[in-house]
Amino acid sequence: MLFIYNANIVSLKGVIERGAVFIYEGKIKHIVENHDVDYFLVEKPDVEIVNAEGAWLLPGFIDVHVHGGNGFDFMDASQKSLQGISEFHAQHGTTTMLATTVTSSKENIEKVLQSVVSLQKKDQLFAQIIGVHLEGPFISRNKLGAQNPNYVIPPRLDWLKEWIDKFPEVIKILTLAPEKEKAVEMIRYGVEQGIVIACGHTDAVHEEMETAYEAGLTHSVHMFNAMSGMHHREPGVVGSILVNEGISTEIIADGEHVHPVCIDLLTKLKNKDNLLLITDAMSAAGLGDGIYNLGGLNVVVKDNVARLKEGDNLAGSSLTMIEGFKYMVNKVGLSVPEVSKLASYNPAKRLGMEEQIGSVDEGLQADLLLVSKDLHIEKVWKDGELLKFFV
């Protein structure tokens, strides 16, 4: 049992100043106001007591779009890589994530799916990898970003059916270009199977976006990046997403992918639980400058900015969730509670898991972060257990 008190608890109902949480069997059992704390502070031999000393108590971050970190890539499809990525990002506040693929061969994508299935049969000690986000290969060659053009293909519904049959409930998000032939058919089928269908790496026009939305598309990846822009006579993908409350989107808050003014605009238009903070981190996250590989393409990281060696396109990021969180507070001007929703509750809701994770609320998993006033991670708990880095 664990009792954390003297914390500024960020809940969906607001900030509980100098409040406390009581954690039992990995769940948040009670949340108490300051004046009720004394009862719980009575010394009990089986209760660990933590004085937060006025720090923020936040729900663990949920990253639905992350490719790697600390030298590891999910496309490695090894247990060592999956565990290495999970361990690295857990140190920076991520407690739940989706293993995100890149455009690659069918065989390589299947290896990632199998590796996640194998991992889920074990105890996950760090950030929990709850499934896979398939980013590609059903995308547009006109908006490749850092995706490998050698593996771009039109939507193959037979592939998706095979993957769902072999790896049931593993694919959580599927990103595609909705303007491609047979994309609408894939959208409808994916939605029927409980998969969140997203647009990304797409050159669609507004009419095509409307058709995709009617078919069940409800999400979009890395807003403004690798998608058709907005023109006053053709709204494109950007305009379609901005005006449609039913399509959620993601933001990479690193100061390179999107100008802070555009992020500010986005937060004003996407203010109904439909904006998600992500990292889109590649293997270079945590390692600094150098030459790396992403989906078979060489990437140069300089001053923590990742770009393709050939073509100079941005290639993912070296971001962590807490760094993106700080940027949203310090550069964009959102409050800590506002950014907490983007980093935790909104991703949980997008995945249909808000009754399990994503907020500090009674009955939910005790995936919690203790974060200082200057937004440094002090402690991370997963299912009520303090991660080893913070012991």
Side-chain angles (χ1 to χ4, degrees):
M1 290 185 284
L2 173 65
F3 184 70
I4 307 169
Y5 76 104
N6 198 16
N8 286 318
I9 302 170
V10 175
S11 74
L12 293 177
K13 299 175 183 177
V15 177
I16 302 172
E17 296 184 358
R18 305 291 175 175
V21 295
F22 185 76
I23 297 161
Y24 180 68
E25 294 185 343
K27 300 287 183 69
I28 300 171
K29 187 72 174 177
H30 298 293
I31 299 177
V32 295
E33 305 284 347
N34 178 264
H35 61 272
D36 295 325
V37 165
D38 290 344
Y39 169 78
F40 290 92
L41 283 177
V42 176
E43 188 171 333
K44 300 178 179 66
D46 58 344
V47 178
E48 178 187 358
I49 297 176
V50 175
N51 183 354
E53 299 181 344
W56 296 105
L57 189 67
L58 308 176
F61 301 143
I62 302 171
D63 194 353
V64 303
H65 193 150
V66 51
H67 296 280
N70 202 31
F72 300 108
D73 190 311
F74 280 122
M75 295 305 296
D76 299 338
S78 70
Q79 296 299 290
K80 180 180 179 181
S81 289
L82 268 63
Q83 292 168 354
I85 296 166
S86 168
E87 182 173 350
F88 169 74
H89 284 286
Q91 296 177 59
H92 301 279
T94 299
T95 53
T96 304
M97 59 169 54
L98 294 182
T100 306
T101 62
V102 295
T103 295
S104 188
S105 68
K106 182 173 182 283
E107 179 184 14
N108 286 340
I109 292 171
E110 287 180 357
K111 287 179 180 178
V112 177
L113 292 166
Q114 182 58 64
S115 68
V116 171
V117 170
S118 299
L119 182 72
Q120 290 178 337
K121 295 176 181 177
K122 307 172 184 177
D123 290 334
Q124 296 192 55
L125 302 178
F126 305 107
Q128 186 176 15
I129 300 172
I130 60 169
V132 172
H133 175 171
L134 292 182
E135 186 180 15
F138 315 123
I139 61 173
S140 170
R141 292 181 178 274
N142 296 332
K143 296 293 180 180
L144 285 171
Q147 302 285 333
N148 194 326
N150 294 329
Y151 299 106
V152 172
I153 61 169
R156 289 284 302 269
L157 187 57
D158 57 329
W159 288 18
L160 181 58
K161 288 181 176 180
E162 181 182 340
W163 291 337
I164 291 172
D165 183 57
K166 291 173 66 174
F167 312 105
E169 300 183 357
V170 173
I171 302 171
K172 303 299 184 183
I173 299 178
L174 170 62
T175 293
L176 49 66
E179 72 273 20
K180 307 305 289 184
E181 185 179 1
K182 297 186 178 179
V184 170
E185 185 181 0
M186 179 171 280
I187 292 168
R188 289 184 178 132
Y189 182 79
V191 171
E192 289 174 359
Q193 301 302 312
I195 298 172
V196 174
I197 304 297
C199 64
H201 297 275
T202 169
D203 202 24
V205 297
H206 178 66
E207 184 178 356
E208 290 166 331
M209 284 293 294
E210 287 292 287
T211 299
Y213 175 69
E214 290 170 3
L217 184 145
T218 55
H219 188 57
S220 54
V221 300
H222 43 54
M223 183 64 183
F224 298 111
N225 297 111
M227 59 177 62
S228 53
M230 186 171 67
H231 185 275
H232 59 282
R233 286 190 293 272
E234 172 46 60
V237 175
V238 168
S240 299
I241 294 168
L242 289 176
V243 300
N244 193 330
E245 293 180 0
I247 300 179
S248 56
T249 195
E250 308 166 349
I251 190 65
I252 307 170
D254 63 354
E256 297 293 335
H257 281 79
V258 183
H259 193 283
V261 170
C262 293
I263 299 179
D264 185 35
L265 171 66
L266 184 63
T267 62
K268 289 177 169 60
L269 294 174
K270 290 294 183 182
N271 56 11
K272 292 181 171 59
D273 305 340
N274 50 10
L275 178 59
L276 287 61
L277 185 67
I278 62 161
T279 63
D280 198 15
M282 60 169 292
S283 61
L287 295 183
D289 293 353
I291 298 178
Y292 300 87
N293 187 278
L294 180 65
L297 303 176
N298 288 326
V299 175
V300 176
V301 177
K302 184 177 181 181
D303 298 327
N304 289 321
V305 179
R307 292 184 178 275
L308 289 181
K309 187 175 182 180
E310 301 293 333
D312 204 39
N313 283 356
L314 285 167
S317 81
S318 58
L319 199 61
T320 63
M321 285 293 281
I322 189 61
E323 289 170 340
F325 195 105
K326 290 178 185 177
Y327 187 89
M328 293 296 286
V329 173
N330 297 330
K331 299 296 184 181
V332 181
L334 271 62
S335 69
V336 167
E338 287 172 331
V339 182
S340 180
K341 283 196 71 176
L342 309 188
S344 303
Y345 179 75
N346 293 358
K349 186 175 180 180
R350 177 68 284 170
L351 295 171
M353 299 183 68
E354 70 271 27
E355 298 298 322
Q356 301 165 259
I357 56 177
S359 59
V360 183
D361 201 0
E362 293 178 353
L364 272 63
Q365 283 179 208
D367 296 350
L368 300 170
L369 313 177
L370 197 63
V371 178
S372 67
K373 287 296 184 182
D374 55 356
L375 302 181
H376 291 284
I377 301 283
E378 296 184 348
K379 294 181 185 295
V380 177
W381 290 272
K382 176 66 184 164
D383 293 322
E385 295 291 330
L386 183 65
L387 298 190
K388 67 178 185 179
F389 324 106
F390 304 97
V391 175

